[in-house]
Amino acid sequence: MPAFITFGRVLFAVLFIVSGAFKLLDIAATTQMITDKVVIPGLLTAYTTQLEGMSGMPMPQMLAIAVGALEVICGLMIALNFGARFFAILLIFFVIVATFYGHDFWNQTGAEQKNNMIHALKNLSLVGALFVIAGIGRGRRSDPSYTDV
């Protein structure tokens, strides 16, 4: 059974590794998607202006790079079972935020609403799987019923 868990974890992580790589390989499209969907709160404007000045990049571009890197790094760490619990918890927060901003079906109608609701439900199942990974953590448990499903 531990081999099944390892194999499942690796297959699951491929989604984040590939998705993050695609985001990093097409920063312009990712930046545009973030610009269209994410509104930076006015309370953070002073900080984002400072970051933009220091980096020479607009905030959506910095977020695009950060999101792509986060997905690749977390996916790799989960696949390699190195800090899997920590990186799964990071991805839980990321997927929830990405779902809220990217698949706002409650603001849509018709086919677009149904499509985004399906994506939101898919992301909900990803959050469930991430909770399982966070619960398993690293290594074997002494309880023999732990892997019985």
Side-chain angles (χ1 to χ4, degrees):
M1 286 301 207
F4 285 169
I5 292 172
T6 300
F7 188 61
R9 189 178 51 247
V10 170
L11 290 178
F12 176 78
V14 168
L15 171 72
F16 292 100
I17 296 166
V18 171
S19 177
F22 284 162
K23 285 177 178 72
L24 290 173
L25 291 172
D26 195 357
I27 292 291
T30 308
T31 301
Q32 187 59 49
M33 181 180 58
I34 289 172
T35 301
D36 293 344
K37 294 282 189 174
V38 178
V39 177
I40 307 293
L43 188 63
L44 299 175
T45 304
Y47 302 109
T48 59
T49 305
Q50 277 184 330
L51 284 172
E52 289 174 342
M54 289 188 301
S55 69
M57 289 186 281
M59 194 61 183
Q61 186 177 4
M62 285 188 282
L63 286 174
I65 294 167
V67 162
L70 176 81
E71 284 189 86
V72 169
I73 292 167
C74 289
L76 285 171
M77 294 299 109
I78 288 172
L80 298 172
N81 200 21
F82 184 77
R85 178 175 286 149
F86 172 76
F87 290 105
I89 292 169
L90 281 180
L91 281 176
I92 288 169
F93 290 114
F94 167 74
V95 171
I96 289 170
V97 170
T99 302
F100 177 78
Y101 282 108
H103 302 294
D104 55 341
F105 61 88
W106 52 90
N107 291 327
Q108 300 164 351
T109 58
E112 186 180 25
Q113 180 186 36
K114 289 177 186 173
N115 183 39
N116 276 293
M117 182 179 284
I118 289 169
H119 283 293
L121 291 171
K122 171 202 50 130
N123 287 358
L124 181 64
S125 68
L126 291 175
V127 168
L130 287 164
F131 270 112
V132 170
I133 291 170
I136 290 173
R138 181 174 174 87
R140 297 178 56 94
R141 303 278 178 133
S142 59
D143 181 11
S145 68
Y146 175 71
T147 56
D148 292 344
V149 178

